[in-house]
Amino acid sequence: MKKITYYFKRLFTMSFKSMFESVKEVSKRSGKWRIHIFFDMIICSIKYQAGYMDYKVFFFENLTRRQRKTFITRGVNNGYIKTMNNSLYYDWFNNKIKFNEKFNDYLGREYIYLRSNLEVFSEFALKHKVIIVKPIDAQCGKDIQKIEINEKTNLKNLYMRLVHNKQLLIEECVKQHKKMNELFPYSVNTLRIVSCYKKGRTTILFRAIRIGNGKNVVDNFNHGGMYSIISEDGVITKPAIDKKGNVYINHPVTNTLIEGFKIPYFNEAIQMVKEAAKVIPEVGLVGWDVAITNNGPVMIEGNQLPGYDIYQSKIHLNDDGTGIKPLFDKVIYNKEQK
C-alpha cells in the first residue's frame, strides 16, 4: 500500500518532459526500445519506489529483479528518514549557526555570526587571514566562499557585502591534514559518514570520501567534485566518480592514486561521529561531513536528509551488483533481506 501511495504522489508532481528525456538517454545507451524502458520505469516506480532519475543513475535497465530490490531508491530513502528523523528538530541542522552552537565540541575552529558588529568581524578576519563565508542555510555548497585577507582588503566593504549577500556565518578556514592535500590541496576533502542512532547505539551505515576538483573551494558532488567509498579500516577501496559518470583512477590534478589511499585519523573520525550522533537523538539518521586536520578530525556539518545518490554508483557496487538496502533495512527496521 505504501508503494502505491508513493507512486501516485510522485505521478502528480513529476516532470514528464524530464522523464521522457531520461527514457531517451537510457534507450540510447542500452539499445533497448524506448517503449520498453518507459513501461519498465513505471513498473520500477511501483515495485521499488524508484523515480526515473533513480532508474537512470542506477542503470536499472541492466539489473535483475534480485539486484533491483537491494537498492535504496528515493521512496525507500524517504521511508528511512520518516522512520528515524523527527522534523521538529531539523532546524538544528538546517541553520548552520545553531548547528555550530550545538556541536561546538566537534568543530575544531572558531566562527562568528555577522549580527556581530564591524569591529568584531575585522578582528576575526585579521586574526585568521583566511576565512570561509557561508549563508546560514547553505545547501550543497551553494554560496560558500573562501576569502583571503591582506593589507589591501577593505574590511568595511567586505563586511557590508557579506551582510547584503546574507553570508552571515564566518568561519576560520579548516587546514586539512598534509596527507589529505596529496589527494587535492585546493579544497578540504571531506568524509561523508552516515550514522544511525537507535536505542542508545550508533551504527555506521556508509563511509565515503568527497574529493575536490577544479577551482571550487568545496568538494561537493554537485560542484564538480568526485567521491569514492572507504573500508572499515579507512582505506579508499575503489576509483572515484563524479556526477557526470567520469571515473578517476588517479586524481586529474595531483595524479595521486585514489584506490588504496589511507585516510589519517579515520578511527578517530568514526568515534567522533558516534558521539555526535547522540547529541540530538530525535534525528537518528544523519550524514556527517568530517574533515581531517593535522590534529585529528573536525566536524563540518550534519545532514538530516542525507542524500542517497552516492550510496550505489555503478563502480562502487558489491561484486554481485547489489546495493546496500539490506544493511539499512536490518539496522533501521530490524528486517532481514529475503
Side-chain angles (χ1 to χ4, degrees):
M1 186 64 186
K2 290 182 179 179
K3 292 181 181 180
I4 300 297
T5 302
Y6 173 79
Y7 169 71
F8 281 107
K9 284 182 179 179
R10 291 289 297 144
L11 182 63
F12 290 108
T13 59
M14 67 186 292
S15 166
F16 284 97
K17 180 181 178 180
S18 297
M19 179 182 181
F20 289 129
E21 288 175 351
S22 295
V23 168
K24 182 179 178 181
E25 183 179 335
V26 173
S27 175
K28 182 178 180 180
R29 78 187 182 194
S30 67
K32 297 180 180 181
W33 290 353
R34 294 184 189 180
I35 191 68
H36 168 83
I37 298 298
F38 173 77
F39 281 110
D40 197 34
M41 282 185 177
I42 298 298
I43 291 171
C44 287
S45 69
I46 298 173
K47 194 168 184 178
Y48 309 111
Q49 302 178 64
Y52 60 85
M53 287 301 297
D54 292 336
Y55 191 102
K56 182 176 73 171
V57 170
F58 298 144
F59 288 78
F60 258 36
E61 75 273 17
N62 296 328
L63 301 181
T64 65
R65 285 179 292 178
R66 184 185 70 84
Q67 291 169 324
R68 286 175 173 181
K69 72 178 184 178
T70 67
F71 273 68
I72 297 176
T73 60
R74 179 170 180 168
V76 170
N77 193 58
N78 289 345
Y80 294 152
I81 291 168
K82 185 177 180 179
T83 298
M84 295 302 305
N85 295 348
N86 186 333
S87 60
L88 296 177
Y89 295 82
Y90 281 6
D91 200 43
W92 286 109
F93 296 88
N94 288 331
N95 185 311
K96 296 193 180 300
I97 292 294
K98 293 184 70 172
F99 179 86
N100 281 12
E101 291 173 349
K102 195 72 170 178
F103 294 92
N104 185 63
D105 290 346
Y106 308 104
L107 295 183
R109 61 191 181 280
E110 296 183 347
Y111 66 92
I112 58 171
Y113 179 27
L114 278 197
R115 63 184 173 189
S116 306
N117 58 33
L118 173 60
E119 182 179 353
V120 172
F121 169 74
S122 299
E123 181 180 345
F124 185 91
L126 291 172
K127 174 182 178 181
H128 294 292
K129 303 298 183 183
V130 182
I131 58 175
I132 297 293
V133 301
K134 305 175 181 179
I136 62 173
D137 58 352
Q139 294 183 346
C140 300
K142 185 178 179 181
D143 295 327
I144 295 177
Q145 291 180 289
K146 179 180 179 180
I147 298 176
E148 296 185 13
I149 308 297
N150 55 48
E151 64 277 0
K152 297 181 180 180
T153 303
N154 186 316
L155 292 174
K156 182 177 180 179
N157 287 348
L158 176 59
Y159 175 84
M160 296 303 292
R161 176 169 66 85
L162 296 178
V163 171
H164 179 267
N165 292 340
K166 297 183 179 180
Q167 294 168 297
L168 303 179
L169 175 59
I170 315 300
E171 295 184 343
E172 173 188 358
C173 186
V174 172
K175 296 179 181 178
Q176 71 180 349
H177 194 285
K178 58 184 180 181
K179 181 71 175 176
M180 300 297 282
N181 279 332
E182 294 177 11
L183 279 175
F184 186 70
Y186 306 113
S187 70
V188 177
N189 309 303
T190 59
L191 311 183
R192 166 57 65 92
I193 303 174
V194 179
S195 67
C196 177
Y197 183 73
K198 183 179 178 182
K199 296 181 179 179
R201 179 184 177 187
T202 304
T203 303
I204 303 301
L205 295 176
F206 182 74
R207 306 165 302 276
I209 181 168
R210 301 187 302 187
I211 308 168
N213 192 14
K215 298 180 179 180
N216 285 304
V217 66
V218 295
D219 60 359
N220 196 279
F221 196 47
N222 295 302
H223 288 266
M226 62 188 76
Y227 87 97
S228 189
I229 55 176
I230 306 172
S231 66
E232 291 184 359
D233 56 354
V235 176
I236 302 177
T237 59
K238 299 281 187 177
I241 190 170
D242 65 18
K243 193 164 187 178
K244 295 180 179 179
N246 299 311
V247 176
Y248 302 91
I249 304 298
N250 297 76
H251 195 286
V253 175
T254 62
N255 201 40
T256 298
L257 181 65
I258 294 172
E259 186 176 352
F261 187 93
K262 175 73 173 178
I263 308 296
Y265 289 115
F266 184 75
N267 290 336
E268 289 82 354
I270 293 296
Q271 187 57 41
M272 181 181 73
V273 163
K274 287 184 175 182
E275 291 299 317
K278 302 175 184 178
V279 175
I280 305 178
E282 295 83 1
V283 181
L285 183 64
V286 181
W288 306 93
D289 293 338
V290 176
I292 305 298
T293 74
N294 286 325
N295 296 318
V298 297
M299 188 70 72
I300 300 299
E301 65 179 17
N303 301 272
Q304 85 286 1
L305 303 174
Y308 64 97
D309 54 342
I310 68 172
Y311 290 166
Q312 302 145 137
S313 76
K314 188 176 181 181
I315 68 166
H316 296 149
L317 294 177
N318 296 322
D319 292 339
D320 60 358
T322 57
I324 61 172
K325 181 175 178 287
L327 171 61
F328 278 63
D329 284 353
K330 181 178 179 180
V331 174
I332 294 173
Y333 299 137
N334 297 320
K335 180 181 177 182
E336 297 287 349
Q337 183 73 34
K338 295 181 181 179

